[in-house]
Amino acid sequence: MSYTGPETEPPRRSPLRRPLTVALAALVPGALLGWGVYAAVGDEGTRADSAQASPAASGEHAPAGSASPDASPSPSPSGTPDASTAPSAHASPSASAPAATGPLKGKVVVIDPGHNPGNSRHTAEINRTVDIGTHRKECDTTGTSTNDGYAEAAFTLDVAHRLRALLEEQGVTVRLTHDGDRPFGPCVDERARIGNEAHADAALSIHADGSGSGNRGFHVILPGSVREGAADTRAIVAPSAELGERIAGNFVRVTGSAPANYLGGGTGLVTRTDLGGLNLSTVPKVFIECGNMRDATDASLLTSGSWRQKAAEGMSEGIVSFLRGS
């Protein structure tokens, strides 16, 4: 995600943010130690294909210190990710059937898969601007891709499906902002509106970054306090920070991935006030950049079906912890 340019601003530390190690204390005392072991021995289940994150989260991000690609290319045969552990697709394109049973029955979660595989074919439509409260911004962006051509939009949909299946096992009603069922978008303002109209108990926008090689790790983006135009995040800042910390802590524990080494001060948490998907949300919401698609090491994780399953599990356990309040 880019932090430079005419319509972005440098990330700021949230006054509510605690260091990730503090957030992890109650969740996983040995998480970072476990990551060290993981990094030393490697992930035998990952592929060598490279994978990276989107430079435009929900049409709102670009790689840190690098330009966003003009489009997210479709995966080439050599860049096709391992889908061996992908869950079967649901019949409904954007909303799951209400869960019959489970400890979290009655809870609603909105999952926002960043970008859309069709965005690159609809550049005029996604380049039109929409009001995000603080200013106007592009409807959406194409997202980034790995050097081997695995598109961020394909990555986010795959992880969203895995996450949906896990949450539904807990009885959660899950809604997706899209499921590859529309030619482009939705725009960033509509993505926020879907969560608002669902009265979601939590919302998560899934992405992967497109920063420079050598920049590794994940980070969770929290909403800053905004009150301007149509945007007023004051009521969701605190619960969103709690949601983000729980997701980050569980993501470390389950995937073994470390917080980003290029932003967030090693906490894995970044606060922003220039993203429409957060500015216009009235429900607790965060973004997660799962890794850097332009770094070969991170890309090998992002293109691995087994690692994507772990990523979904980490997100799910963070969301479930938030919903339970424990």
Side-chain angles (χ1 to χ4, degrees), residues 8-140:
T8 61
E9 61 187 52
R12 300 183 302 169
R13 291 175 179 260
S14 166
L16 294 171
R17 185 180 69 194
R18 302 190 298 277
L20 183 57
T21 52
V22 174
L24 289 175
L27 296 170
V28 284
L32 293 178
L33 176 59
W35 170 79
V37 174
Y38 170 91
V41 302
D43 179 4
E44 297 179 358
T46 59
R47 294 169 55 91
D49 303 341
S50 77
Q52 269 209 113
S54 161
S58 291
E60 304 186 78
H61 72 271
S66 66
S68 165
D70 293 333
S72 296
S74 298
S76 63
S78 63
T80 301
D82 171 19
S84 60
T85 58
S88 59
H90 289 236
S92 173
S94 58
S96 66
T101 60
L104 293 175
K105 182 178 180 180
K107 297 293 186 180
V108 177
V109 171
V110 168
I111 304 172
D112 178 28
H115 314 288
N116 183 317
N119 279 0
S120 61
R121 299 186 295 273
H122 295 272
T123 55
E125 291 89 344
I126 66 170
N127 283 335
R128 70 180 180 86
T129 62
V130 297
D131 182 12
I132 68 165
T134 54
H135 58 281
R136 296 188 69 84
K137 202 163 194 177
E138 289 79 7
C139 159
D140 201 0

Side-chain angles (χ1 to χ4, degrees), residues 293-316:
M293 287 193 133
R294 296 292 181 182
D295 176 80
T297 303
D298 269 12
S300 68
L301 301 177
L302 298 167
T303 51
S304 163
S306 60
W307 187 88
R308 291 195 302 275
Q309 185 65 25
K310 292 179 183 178
E313 290 170 2
M315 296 175 201
S316 174

Side-chain angles (χ1 to χ4, degrees), residues 132-158:
I132 68 165
T134 54
H135 58 281
R136 296 188 69 84
K137 202 163 194 177
E138 289 79 7
C139 159
D140 201 0
T141 65
T142 59
T144 190
S145 69
T146 68
N147 294 331
D148 287 340
Y150 179 41
E152 179 187 6
F155 168 82
T156 63
L157 271 175
D158 180 84

Side-chain angles (χ1 to χ4, degrees), residues 230-257:
D232 187 351
T233 64
R234 292 173 297 172
I236 69 163
V237 167
S240 296
E242 180 184 352
L243 172 64
E245 289 176 355
R246 289 178 183 269
I247 290 175
N250 281 279
F251 198 83
V252 167
R253 179 177 60 81
V254 178
T255 67
S257 293

Side-chain angles (χ1 to χ4, degrees), residues 104 106-110 172-175 195 198-203 323:
L104 293 175
K107 297 293 186 180
V108 177
V109 171
V110 168
V172 176
T173 297
V174 179
R175 299 184 182 178
H199 303 289
D201 296 285
L323 295 177

